[in-house]
Amino acid sequence: MKVKEKMAVASISKTLTKLGGGSSFLLSHRAPPRLYSSSAAAALSSAPQLSSSSQDQENVRKGSAPSSTWSKWLLFLPGAISFGLGTWQIFRRQDKIKMLEYRQNRLQMDPLRLNITSPLTEDLKSLEFRRVICQGVFDEQRSIYVGPRSRSISGVTENGYYVITPLMPIPNNPQSVKSPVLVNRGWVPRSWRDKSSEVSRDSEQPLNLAPSVQQSQQSSWWWFWLKKPNIVEDDVPSIASVEVVGVVRGSEKPSIFVPANDPSSCQWFYVDVPAIACACGLPENTVYIEDTNENVNPSNPYPLPKDVSTLLRSSVMPQDHLNYTLTWYSLSAAVTFMAFKRLRPKKSRR
């Protein structure tokens, strides 16, 4: 039996080798492979997730690159703006120097006599800052007060007004002006204005009473028997002419904090030449001059004329523009330095 079994096994092995399936059969009957550990399986399962998260981070980094670049450039924006403002102050300084030189050259010209030159035929802008000499008579009843305007006297500030009075021509006087002129006679205190308003009211009363007296005389039947006083021409007071030395000026440009003028209530906060001329019953193109006569009577100092040197000054002088330029440039340098320091990569400490 044993010999028969050995012969059967040998014949089966021969048939298997002939069919070529011996190796595959042995391979199929090998021991199964060893299973991986739990940690290795977790690492293999998390590998695709790590790769996907790294790709997402890379995509986010690429998308945030332009925004970070813009944010870096925005750090230099304050420095660029302050540098532009400093450059603008340089141009403002040059313009202010030219303006003051223009005024000084105009003031050094020979004064014009308005009795020869008719200001209504001239361009008013071409006459600005020209010195003029005019002669006429002041119409005190049509004076206008512009203010309040403060003035410092010996360290004490006092409020007052600028008084503007029409200078009217004198008939049959070749030295007189040909047409009315508005004259800014200078600064007066508040008390002076109140006193002048009371005087003007008192001066109007006799004028109102004169017609009634004449009417009563004419209505009486015995006025023929009355001896009327002879009117002598020498008793009539002569008109006192005034010579004004001043500078032709234009309207003021008020700031946003100055209220608007109210001609109906006689409140004038700034000089508006056409409006003041209309309020005085004069043409809108009336010449406006500022009195700069330095010969002031000590016994009657008011109105106090303007000083010529004030025409060569401005609220912001060229030196102020230079200070502003240095301030803006210094600010630009400081802000730009801080921007560079903020963007500079920090050194890692060991």
Side-chain angles (χ1 to χ4, degrees), residues 309-346:
S309 61
T310 59
L311 301 177
L312 298 177
R313 290 199 299 265
S314 177
S315 58
V316 182
M317 295 296 288
Q319 183 62 35
D320 298 328
H321 287 292
L322 183 60
N323 295 336
Y324 295 155
T325 301
L326 296 177
T327 302
W328 285 118
Y329 280 163
S330 301
L331 182 61
S332 176
V335 173
T336 305
F337 173 75
M338 288 189 292
F340 274 115
K341 190 175 180 180
R342 176 68 178 81
L343 296 177
R344 189 176 60 181
K346 297 180 179 179

PDB file of all heavy atoms in Angstrom, residues 309-346:
ATOM      1  N   SER A 309       1.977 149.861   6.814  1.00  0.00           N
ATOM      2  CA  SER A 309       2.703 148.598   6.966  1.00  0.00           C
ATOM      3  C   SER A 309       1.762 147.406   7.077  1.00  0.00           C
ATOM      4  O   SER A 309       2.159 146.271   6.787  1.00  0.00           O
ATOM      5  CB  SER A 309       3.610 148.660   8.191  1.00  0.00           C
ATOM      6  OG  SER A 309       2.860 148.869   9.372  1.00  0.00           O
ATOM      7  N   THR A 310       0.511 147.642   7.508  1.00  0.00           N
ATOM      8  CA  THR A 310      -0.441 146.529   7.592  1.00  0.00           C
ATOM      9  C   THR A 310      -0.791 145.991   6.208  1.00  0.00           C
ATOM     10  O   THR A 310      -1.205 144.827   6.082  1.00  0.00           O
ATOM     11  CB  THR A 310      -1.716 146.971   8.307  1.00  0.00           C
ATOM     12  OG1 THR A 310      -2.302 148.076   7.590  1.00  0.00           O
ATOM     13  CG2 THR A 310      -1.416 147.409   9.732  1.00  0.00           C
ATOM     14  N   LEU A 311      -0.641 146.819   5.171  1.00  0.00           N
ATOM     15  CA  LEU A 311      -0.919 146.361   3.807  1.00  0.00           C
ATOM     16  C   LEU A 311       0.172 145.439   3.293  1.00  0.00           C
ATOM     17  O   LEU A 311      -0.030 144.731   2.306  1.00  0.00           O
ATOM     18  CB  LEU A 311      -1.076 147.555   2.869  1.00  0.00           C
ATOM     19  CG  LEU A 311      -2.190 148.544   3.232  1.00  0.00           C
ATOM     20  CD1 LEU A 311      -2.173 149.720   2.264  1.00  0.00           C
ATOM     21  CD2 LEU A 311      -3.543 147.862   3.209  1.00  0.00           C
ATOM     22  N   LEU A 312       1.343 145.481   3.933  1.00  0.00           N
ATOM     23  CA  LEU A 312       2.454 144.621   3.530  1.00  0.00           C
ATOM     24  C   LEU A 312       2.580 143.400   4.436  1.00  0.00           C
ATOM     25  O   LEU A 312       3.613 142.741   4.439  1.00  0.00           O
ATOM     26  CB  LEU A 312       3.762 145.421   3.545  1.00  0.00           C
ATOM     27  CG  LEU A 312       3.822 146.607   2.581  1.00  0.00           C
ATOM     28  CD1 LEU A 312       5.123 147.370   2.740  1.00  0.00           C
ATOM     29  CD2 LEU A 312       3.647 146.144   1.146  1.00  0.00           C
ATOM     30  N   ARG A 313       1.541 143.150   5.197  1.00  0.00           N
ATOM     31  CA  ARG A 313       1.518 141.972   6.053  1.00  0.00           C
ATOM     32  C   ARG A 313       0.332 141.104   5.678  1.00  0.00           C
ATOM     33  O   ARG A 313      -0.650 141.569   5.108  1.00  0.00           O
ATOM     34  CB  ARG A 313       1.426 142.371   7.535  1.00  0.00           C
ATOM     35  CG  ARG A 313       2.676 143.003   8.085  1.00  0.00           C
ATOM     36  CD  ARG A 313       2.701 142.939   9.611  1.00  0.00           C
ATOM     37  NE  ARG A 313       1.585 143.639  10.203  1.00  0.00           N
ATOM     38  CZ  ARG A 313       1.628 144.890  10.626  1.00  0.00           C
ATOM     39  NH1 ARG A 313       2.744 145.590  10.505  1.00  0.00           N
ATOM     40  NH2 ARG A 313       0.570 145.448  11.167  1.00  0.00           N
ATOM     41  N   SER A 314       0.460 139.840   6.009  1.00  0.00           N
ATOM     42  CA  SER A 314      -0.590 138.876   5.739  1.00  0.00           C
ATOM     43  C   SER A 314      -0.776 138.000   6.968  1.00  0.00           C
ATOM     44  O   SER A 314       0.093 137.949   7.853  1.00  0.00           O
ATOM     45  CB  SER A 314      -0.255 138.016   4.511  1.00  0.00           C
ATOM     46  OG  SER A 314      -1.242 137.043   4.283  1.00  0.00           O
ATOM     47  N   SER A 315      -1.924 137.333   7.023  1.00  0.00           N
ATOM     48  CA  SER A 315      -2.174 136.453   8.159  1.00  0.00           C
ATOM     49  C   SER A 315      -1.167 135.312   8.220  1.00  0.00           C
ATOM     50  O   SER A 315      -0.834 134.816   9.295  1.00  0.00           O
ATOM     51  CB  SER A 315      -3.599 135.901   8.089  1.00  0.00           C
ATOM     52  OG  SER A 315      -3.792 135.200   6.870  1.00  0.00           O
ATOM     53  N   VAL A 316      -0.671 134.889   7.050  1.00  0.00           N
ATOM     54  CA  VAL A 316       0.360 133.855   6.959  1.00  0.00           C
ATOM     55  C   VAL A 316       1.493 134.427   6.120  1.00  0.00           C
ATOM     56  O   VAL A 316       1.352 134.616   4.913  1.00  0.00           O
ATOM     57  CB  VAL A 316      -0.179 132.558   6.326  1.00  0.00           C
ATOM     58  CG1 VAL A 316       0.909 131.490   6.290  1.00  0.00           C
ATOM     59  CG2 VAL A 316      -1.388 132.049   7.084  1.00  0.00           C
ATOM     60  N   MET A 317       2.612 134.714   6.771  1.00  0.00           N
ATOM     61  CA  MET A 317       3.754 135.314   6.087  1.00  0.00           C
ATOM     62  C   MET A 317       4.636 134.226   5.460  1.00  0.00           C
ATOM     63  O   MET A 317       4.488 133.032   5.779  1.00  0.00           O
ATOM     64  CB  MET A 317       4.563 136.142   7.083  1.00  0.00           C
ATOM     65  CG  MET A 317       3.802 137.344   7.624  1.00  0.00           C
ATOM     66  SD  MET A 317       3.407 138.557   6.348  1.00  0.00           S
ATOM     67  CE  MET A 317       5.012 139.250   6.026  1.00  0.00           C
ATOM     68  N   PRO A 318       5.562 134.612   4.567  1.00  0.00           N
ATOM     69  CA  PRO A 318       6.441 133.596   3.955  1.00  0.00           C
ATOM     70  C   PRO A 318       7.229 132.772   4.966  1.00  0.00           C
ATOM     71  O   PRO A 318       7.462 131.577   4.754  1.00  0.00           O
ATOM     72  CB  PRO A 318       7.361 134.433   3.061  1.00  0.00           C
ATOM     73  CG  PRO A 318       6.559 135.629   2.705  1.00  0.00           C
ATOM     74  CD  PRO A 318       5.736 135.928   3.918  1.00  0.00           C
ATOM     75  N   GLN A 319       7.640 133.385   6.073  1.00  0.00           N
ATOM     76  CA  GLN A 319       8.364 132.623   7.089  1.00  0.00           C
ATOM     77  C   GLN A 319       7.484 131.544   7.707  1.00  0.00           C
ATOM     78  O   GLN A 319       7.956 130.445   8.031  1.00  0.00           O
ATOM     79  CB  GLN A 319       8.873 133.579   8.179  1.00  0.00           C
ATOM     80  CG  GLN A 319       9.700 132.908   9.258  1.00  0.00           C
ATOM     81  CD  GLN A 319      10.965 132.272   8.705  1.00  0.00           C
ATOM     82  OE1 GLN A 319      11.567 132.796   7.765  1.00  0.00           O
ATOM     83  NE2 GLN A 319      11.368 131.150   9.286  1.00  0.00           N
ATOM     84  N   ASP A 320       6.200 131.837   7.844  1.00  0.00           N
ATOM     85  CA  ASP A 320       5.276 130.826   8.363  1.00  0.00           C
ATOM     86  C   ASP A 320       5.156 129.644   7.403  1.00  0.00           C
ATOM     87  O   ASP A 320       5.112 128.485   7.831  1.00  0.00           O
ATOM     88  CB  ASP A 320       3.906 131.446   8.607  1.00  0.00           C
ATOM     89  CG  ASP A 320       3.956 132.557   9.647  1.00  0.00           C
ATOM     90  OD1 ASP A 320       4.792 132.456  10.566  1.00  0.00           O
ATOM     91  OD2 ASP A 320       3.175 133.516   9.538  1.00  0.00           O
ATOM     92  N   HIS A 321       5.103 129.935   6.101  1.00  0.00           N
ATOM     93  CA  HIS A 321       5.051 128.851   5.120  1.00  0.00           C
ATOM     94  C   HIS A 321       6.312 127.983   5.182  1.00  0.00           C
ATOM     95  O   HIS A 321       6.253 126.763   5.013  1.00  0.00           O
ATOM     96  CB  HIS A 321       4.886 129.418   3.713  1.00  0.00           C
ATOM     97  CG  HIS A 321       3.517 129.966   3.442  1.00  0.00           C
ATOM     98  ND1 HIS A 321       2.400 129.169   3.364  1.00  0.00           N
ATOM     99  CD2 HIS A 321       3.089 131.232   3.251  1.00  0.00           C
ATOM    100  CE1 HIS A 321       1.345 129.925   3.117  1.00  0.00           C
ATOM    101  NE2 HIS A 321       1.721 131.177   3.052  1.00  0.00           N
ATOM    102  N   LEU A 322       7.469 128.626   5.432  1.00  0.00           N
ATOM    103  CA  LEU A 322       8.709 127.858   5.564  1.00  0.00           C
ATOM    104  C   LEU A 322       8.666 126.952   6.784  1.00  0.00           C
ATOM    105  O   LEU A 322       9.113 125.790   6.724  1.00  0.00           O
ATOM    106  CB  LEU A 322       9.898 128.819   5.636  1.00  0.00           C
ATOM    107  CG  LEU A 322      11.287 128.186   5.713  1.00  0.00           C
ATOM    108  CD1 LEU A 322      11.551 127.328   4.483  1.00  0.00           C
ATOM    109  CD2 LEU A 322      12.355 129.269   5.842  1.00  0.00           C
ATOM    110  N   ASN A 323       8.125 127.456   7.883  1.00  0.00           N
ATOM    111  CA  ASN A 323       7.993 126.617   9.087  1.00  0.00           C
ATOM    112  C   ASN A 323       7.053 125.438   8.838  1.00  0.00           C
ATOM    113  O   ASN A 323       7.315 124.310   9.283  1.00  0.00           O
ATOM    114  CB  ASN A 323       7.488 127.465  10.247  1.00  0.00           C
ATOM    115  CG  ASN A 323       8.475 128.546  10.654  1.00  0.00           C
ATOM    116  OD1 ASN A 323       9.675 128.420  10.419  1.00  0.00           O
ATOM    117  ND2 ASN A 323       7.975 129.608  11.245  1.00  0.00           N
ATOM    118  N   TYR A 324       5.969 125.693   8.120  1.00  0.00           N
ATOM    119  CA  TYR A 324       5.048 124.608   7.790  1.00  0.00           C
ATOM    120  C   TYR A 324       5.730 123.559   6.899  1.00  0.00           C
ATOM    121  O   TYR A 324       5.499 122.350   7.046  1.00  0.00           O
ATOM    122  CB  TYR A 324       3.816 125.154   7.081  1.00  0.00           C
ATOM    123  CG  TYR A 324       2.957 126.072   7.928  1.00  0.00           C
ATOM    124  CD1 TYR A 324       2.134 127.035   7.350  1.00  0.00           C
ATOM    125  CD2 TYR A 324       2.973 125.977   9.315  1.00  0.00           C
ATOM    126  CE1 TYR A 324       1.351 127.877   8.122  1.00  0.00           C
ATOM    127  CE2 TYR A 324       2.196 126.825  10.092  1.00  0.00           C
ATOM    128  CZ  TYR A 324       1.391 127.771   9.480  1.00  0.00           C
ATOM    129  OH  TYR A 324       0.621 128.601  10.254  1.00  0.00           O
ATOM    130  N   THR A 325       6.574 124.023   5.980  1.00  0.00           N
ATOM    131  CA  THR A 325       7.274 123.092   5.094  1.00  0.00           C
ATOM    132  C   THR A 325       8.188 122.164   5.887  1.00  0.00           C
ATOM    133  O   THR A 325       8.193 120.939   5.682  1.00  0.00           O
ATOM    134  CB  THR A 325       8.096 123.871   4.058  1.00  0.00           C
ATOM    135  OG1 THR A 325       7.220 124.720   3.298  1.00  0.00           O
ATOM    136  CG2 THR A 325       8.823 122.937   3.117  1.00  0.00           C
ATOM    137  N   LEU A 326       8.962 122.747   6.791  1.00  0.00           N
ATOM    138  CA  LEU A 326       9.859 121.923   7.615  1.00  0.00           C
ATOM    139  C   LEU A 326       9.070 120.947   8.487  1.00  0.00           C
ATOM    140  O   LEU A 326       9.488 119.797   8.697  1.00  0.00           O
ATOM    141  CB  LEU A 326      10.732 122.827   8.476  1.00  0.00           C
ATOM    142  CG  LEU A 326      11.700 123.749   7.715  1.00  0.00           C
ATOM    143  CD1 LEU A 326      12.458 124.651   8.679  1.00  0.00           C
ATOM    144  CD2 LEU A 326      12.672 122.938   6.879  1.00  0.00           C
ATOM    145  N   THR A 327       7.918 121.389   8.991  1.00  0.00           N
ATOM    146  CA  THR A 327       7.103 120.513   9.834  1.00  0.00           C
ATOM    147  C   THR A 327       6.580 119.317   9.049  1.00  0.00           C
ATOM    148  O   THR A 327       6.660 118.164   9.496  1.00  0.00           O
ATOM    149  CB  THR A 327       5.932 121.307  10.427  1.00  0.00           C
ATOM    150  OG1 THR A 327       6.444 122.409  11.188  1.00  0.00           O
ATOM    151  CG2 THR A 327       5.081 120.424  11.325  1.00  0.00           C
ATOM    152  N   TRP A 328       6.050 119.577   7.851  1.00  0.00           N
ATOM    153  CA  TRP A 328       5.500 118.485   7.039  1.00  0.00           C
ATOM    154  C   TRP A 328       6.592 117.519   6.581  1.00  0.00           C
ATOM    155  O   TRP A 328       6.393 116.298   6.570  1.00  0.00           O
ATOM    156  CB  TRP A 328       4.750 119.037   5.836  1.00  0.00           C
ATOM    157  CG  TRP A 328       3.413 119.621   6.166  1.00  0.00           C
ATOM    158  CD1 TRP A 328       3.009 120.913   5.989  1.00  0.00           C
ATOM    159  CD2 TRP A 328       2.289 118.930   6.710  1.00  0.00           C
ATOM    160  NE1 TRP A 328       1.718 121.076   6.392  1.00  0.00           N
ATOM    161  CE2 TRP A 328       1.242 119.864   6.841  1.00  0.00           C
ATOM    162  CE3 TRP A 328       2.065 117.615   7.109  1.00  0.00           C
ATOM    163  CZ2 TRP A 328      -0.001 119.513   7.339  1.00  0.00           C
ATOM    164  CZ3 TRP A 328       0.817 117.274   7.617  1.00  0.00           C
ATOM    165  CH2 TRP A 328      -0.190 118.212   7.722  1.00  0.00           C
ATOM    166  N   TYR A 329       7.753 118.061   6.187  1.00  0.00           N
ATOM    167  CA  TYR A 329       8.844 117.177   5.757  1.00  0.00           C
ATOM    168  C   TYR A 329       9.366 116.335   6.916  1.00  0.00           C
ATOM    169  O   TYR A 329       9.721 115.156   6.725  1.00  0.00           O
ATOM    170  CB  TYR A 329       9.965 118.011   5.140  1.00  0.00           C
ATOM    171  CG  TYR A 329       9.715 118.414   3.714  1.00  0.00           C
ATOM    172  CD1 TYR A 329      10.439 119.435   3.118  1.00  0.00           C
ATOM    173  CD2 TYR A 329       8.751 117.771   2.937  1.00  0.00           C
ATOM    174  CE1 TYR A 329      10.216 119.815   1.800  1.00  0.00           C
ATOM    175  CE2 TYR A 329       8.520 118.142   1.632  1.00  0.00           C
ATOM    176  CZ  TYR A 329       9.256 119.166   1.068  1.00  0.00           C
ATOM    177  OH  TYR A 329       9.025 119.532  -0.237  1.00  0.00           O
ATOM    178  N   SER A 330       9.446 116.910   8.090  1.00  0.00           N
ATOM    179  CA  SER A 330       9.889 116.131   9.256  1.00  0.00           C
ATOM    180  C   SER A 330       8.901 115.026   9.583  1.00  0.00           C
ATOM    181  O   SER A 330       9.294 113.884   9.885  1.00  0.00           O
ATOM    182  CB  SER A 330      10.055 117.061  10.464  1.00  0.00           C
ATOM    183  OG  SER A 330      10.993 118.083  10.193  1.00  0.00           O
ATOM    184  N   LEU A 331       7.622 115.340   9.497  1.00  0.00           N
ATOM    185  CA  LEU A 331       6.614 114.315   9.733  1.00  0.00           C
ATOM    186  C   LEU A 331       6.682 113.210   8.684  1.00  0.00           C
ATOM    187  O   LEU A 331       6.538 112.021   9.002  1.00  0.00           O
ATOM    188  CB  LEU A 331       5.229 114.960   9.739  1.00  0.00           C
ATOM    189  CG  LEU A 331       4.041 114.044  10.011  1.00  0.00           C
ATOM    190  CD1 LEU A 331       4.164 113.402  11.394  1.00  0.00           C
ATOM    191  CD2 LEU A 331       2.733 114.818   9.902  1.00  0.00           C
ATOM    192  N   SER A 332       6.918 113.590   7.431  1.00  0.00           N
ATOM    193  CA  SER A 332       7.031 112.590   6.366  1.00  0.00           C
ATOM    194  C   SER A 332       8.219 111.663   6.608  1.00  0.00           C
ATOM    195  O   SER A 332       8.112 110.438   6.447  1.00  0.00           O
ATOM    196  CB  SER A 332       7.175 113.284   5.009  1.00  0.00           C
ATOM    197  OG  SER A 332       7.382 112.359   3.980  1.00  0.00           O
ATOM    198  N   ALA A 333       9.350 112.233   7.009  1.00  0.00           N
ATOM    199  CA  ALA A 333      10.523 111.398   7.270  1.00  0.00           C
ATOM    200  C   ALA A 333      10.287 110.453   8.442  1.00  0.00           C
ATOM    201  O   ALA A 333      10.665 109.267   8.395  1.00  0.00           O
ATOM    202  CB  ALA A 333      11.734 112.290   7.546  1.00  0.00           C
ATOM    203  N   ALA A 334       9.623 110.939   9.496  1.00  0.00           N
ATOM    204  CA  ALA A 334       9.383 110.090  10.667  1.00  0.00           C
ATOM    205  C   ALA A 334       8.432 108.942  10.334  1.00  0.00           C
ATOM    206  O   ALA A 334       8.663 107.779  10.719  1.00  0.00           O
ATOM    207  CB  ALA A 334       8.818 110.936  11.810  1.00  0.00           C
ATOM    208  N   VAL A 335       7.358 109.235   9.602  1.00  0.00           N
ATOM    209  CA  VAL A 335       6.387 108.195   9.271  1.00  0.00           C
ATOM    210  C   VAL A 335       6.995 107.165   8.320  1.00  0.00           C
ATOM    211  O   VAL A 335       6.765 105.958   8.453  1.00  0.00           O
ATOM    212  CB  VAL A 335       5.128 108.837   8.665  1.00  0.00           C
ATOM    213  CG1 VAL A 335       4.174 107.776   8.145  1.00  0.00           C
ATOM    214  CG2 VAL A 335       4.422 109.696   9.705  1.00  0.00           C
ATOM    215  N   THR A 336       7.799 107.633   7.363  1.00  0.00           N
ATOM    216  CA  THR A 336       8.429 106.704   6.422  1.00  0.00           C
ATOM    217  C   THR A 336       9.439 105.802   7.135  1.00  0.00           C
ATOM    218  O   THR A 336       9.539 104.598   6.843  1.00  0.00           O
ATOM    219  CB  THR A 336       9.126 107.482   5.301  1.00  0.00           C
ATOM    220  OG1 THR A 336       8.176 108.362   4.686  1.00  0.00           O
ATOM    221  CG2 THR A 336       9.676 106.553   4.242  1.00  0.00           C
ATOM    222  N   PHE A 337      10.183 106.345   8.081  1.00  0.00           N
ATOM    223  CA  PHE A 337      11.130 105.537   8.852  1.00  0.00           C
ATOM    224  C   PHE A 337      10.400 104.459   9.651  1.00  0.00           C
ATOM    225  O   PHE A 337      10.850 103.302   9.715  1.00  0.00           O
ATOM    226  CB  PHE A 337      11.936 106.442   9.787  1.00  0.00           C
ATOM    227  CG  PHE A 337      12.817 105.695  10.740  1.00  0.00           C
ATOM    228  CD1 PHE A 337      13.998 105.094  10.306  1.00  0.00           C
ATOM    229  CD2 PHE A 337      12.463 105.575  12.078  1.00  0.00           C
ATOM    230  CE1 PHE A 337      14.794 104.394  11.188  1.00  0.00           C
ATOM    231  CE2 PHE A 337      13.256 104.881  12.963  1.00  0.00           C
ATOM    232  CZ  PHE A 337      14.429 104.289  12.515  1.00  0.00           C
ATOM    233  N   MET A 338       9.283 104.808  10.253  1.00  0.00           N
ATOM    234  CA  MET A 338       8.525 103.817  11.023  1.00  0.00           C
ATOM    235  C   MET A 338       7.961 102.732  10.111  1.00  0.00           C
ATOM    236  O   MET A 338       7.876 101.564  10.500  1.00  0.00           O
ATOM    237  CB  MET A 338       7.407 104.510  11.790  1.00  0.00           C
ATOM    238  CG  MET A 338       7.895 105.336  12.975  1.00  0.00           C
ATOM    239  SD  MET A 338       6.554 105.945  14.025  1.00  0.00           S
ATOM    240  CE  MET A 338       5.784 107.113  12.912  1.00  0.00           C
ATOM    241  N   ALA A 339       7.589 103.097   8.867  1.00  0.00           N
ATOM    242  CA  ALA A 339       7.085 102.093   7.930  1.00  0.00           C
ATOM    243  C   ALA A 339       8.183 101.110   7.547  1.00  0.00           C
ATOM    244  O   ALA A 339       7.965  99.890   7.499  1.00  0.00           O
ATOM    245  CB  ALA A 339       6.514 102.779   6.698  1.00  0.00           C
ATOM    246  N   PHE A 340       9.392 101.631   7.269  1.00  0.00           N
ATOM    247  CA  PHE A 340      10.518 100.738   6.951  1.00  0.00           C
ATOM    248  C   PHE A 340      10.857  99.828   8.132  1.00  0.00           C
ATOM    249  O   PHE A 340      11.135  98.638   7.958  1.00  0.00           O
ATOM    250  CB  PHE A 340      11.746 101.560   6.565  1.00  0.00           C
ATOM    251  CG  PHE A 340      11.777 101.930   5.113  1.00  0.00           C
ATOM    252  CD1 PHE A 340      11.695 103.255   4.732  1.00  0.00           C
ATOM    253  CD2 PHE A 340      11.888 100.966   4.119  1.00  0.00           C
ATOM    254  CE1 PHE A 340      11.710 103.613   3.401  1.00  0.00           C
ATOM    255  CE2 PHE A 340      11.910 101.310   2.793  1.00  0.00           C
ATOM    256  CZ  PHE A 340      11.825 102.630   2.417  1.00  0.00           C
ATOM    257  N   LYS A 341      10.801 100.404   9.324  1.00  0.00           N
ATOM    258  CA  LYS A 341      11.121  99.600  10.502  1.00  0.00           C
ATOM    259  C   LYS A 341      10.068  98.520  10.730  1.00  0.00           C
ATOM    260  O   LYS A 341      10.384  97.417  11.194  1.00  0.00           O
ATOM    261  CB  LYS A 341      11.211 100.518  11.720  1.00  0.00           C
ATOM    262  CG  LYS A 341      11.765  99.835  12.950  1.00  0.00           C
ATOM    263  CD  LYS A 341      11.950 100.821  14.085  1.00  0.00           C
ATOM    264  CE  LYS A 341      12.522 100.118  15.316  1.00  0.00           C
ATOM    265  NZ  LYS A 341      12.707 101.070  16.447  1.00  0.00           N
ATOM    266  N   ARG A 342       8.838  98.826  10.404  1.00  0.00           N
ATOM    267  CA  ARG A 342       7.773  97.835  10.583  1.00  0.00           C
ATOM    268  C   ARG A 342       7.889  96.693   9.576  1.00  0.00           C
ATOM    269  O   ARG A 342       7.606  95.530   9.897  1.00  0.00           O
ATOM    270  CB  ARG A 342       6.412  98.534  10.423  1.00  0.00           C
ATOM    271  CG  ARG A 342       5.208  97.601  10.487  1.00  0.00           C
ATOM    272  CD  ARG A 342       5.051  97.051  11.878  1.00  0.00           C
ATOM    273  NE  ARG A 342       3.888  96.186  11.987  1.00  0.00           N
ATOM    274  CZ  ARG A 342       3.828  94.916  11.625  1.00  0.00           C
ATOM    275  NH1 ARG A 342       4.919  94.339  11.126  1.00  0.00           N
ATOM    276  NH2 ARG A 342       2.727  94.226  11.767  1.00  0.00           N
ATOM    277  N   LEU A 343       8.330  96.992   8.355  1.00  0.00           N
ATOM    278  CA  LEU A 343       8.417  95.970   7.320  1.00  0.00           C
ATOM    279  C   LEU A 343       9.733  95.220   7.321  1.00  0.00           C
ATOM    280  O   LEU A 343       9.863  94.208   6.625  1.00  0.00           O
ATOM    281  CB  LEU A 343       8.210  96.617   5.939  1.00  0.00           C
ATOM    282  CG  LEU A 343       6.835  97.241   5.705  1.00  0.00           C
ATOM    283  CD1 LEU A 343       6.792  97.908   4.346  1.00  0.00           C
ATOM    284  CD2 LEU A 343       5.736  96.206   5.823  1.00  0.00           C
ATOM    285  N   ARG A 344      10.712  95.687   8.054  1.00  0.00           N
ATOM    286  CA  ARG A 344      12.008  95.002   8.076  1.00  0.00           C
ATOM    287  C   ARG A 344      11.869  93.663   8.790  1.00  0.00           C
ATOM    288  O   ARG A 344      11.272  93.600   9.873  1.00  0.00           O
ATOM    289  CB  ARG A 344      13.046  95.866   8.788  1.00  0.00           C
ATOM    290  CG  ARG A 344      14.471  95.319   8.670  1.00  0.00           C
ATOM    291  CD  ARG A 344      15.436  96.282   9.322  1.00  0.00           C
ATOM    292  NE  ARG A 344      15.134  96.468  10.733  1.00  0.00           N
ATOM    293  CZ  ARG A 344      15.825  97.273  11.528  1.00  0.00           C
ATOM    294  NH1 ARG A 344      16.820  97.987  11.036  1.00  0.00           N
ATOM    295  NH2 ARG A 344      15.480  97.400  12.802  1.00  0.00           N
ATOM    296  N   PRO A 345      12.401  92.573   8.227  1.00  0.00           N
ATOM    297  CA  PRO A 345      12.261  91.249   8.886  1.00  0.00           C
ATOM    298  C   PRO A 345      13.006  91.232  10.215  1.00  0.00           C
ATOM    299  O   PRO A 345      14.129  91.731  10.342  1.00  0.00           O
ATOM    300  CB  PRO A 345      12.889  90.290   7.874  1.00  0.00           C
ATOM    301  CG  PRO A 345      13.780  91.129   7.020  1.00  0.00           C
ATOM    302  CD  PRO A 345      13.145  92.483   6.950  1.00  0.00           C
ATOM    303  N   LYS A 346      12.354  90.632  11.194  1.00  0.00           N
ATOM    304  CA  LYS A 346      12.944  90.572  12.519  1.00  0.00           C
ATOM    305  C   LYS A 346      13.953  89.426  12.591  1.00  0.00           C
ATOM    306  O   LYS A 346      13.710  88.319  12.086  1.00  0.00           O
ATOM    307  CB  LYS A 346      11.856  90.365  13.573  1.00  0.00           C
ATOM    308  CG  LYS A 346      10.862  91.509  13.627  1.00  0.00           C
ATOM    309  CD  LYS A 346       9.808  91.260  14.698  1.00  0.00           C
ATOM    310  CE  LYS A 346       8.817  92.412  14.773  1.00  0.00           C
ATOM    311  NZ  LYS A 346       7.784  92.147  15.814  1.00  0.00           N
TER     312      LYS A 346
END
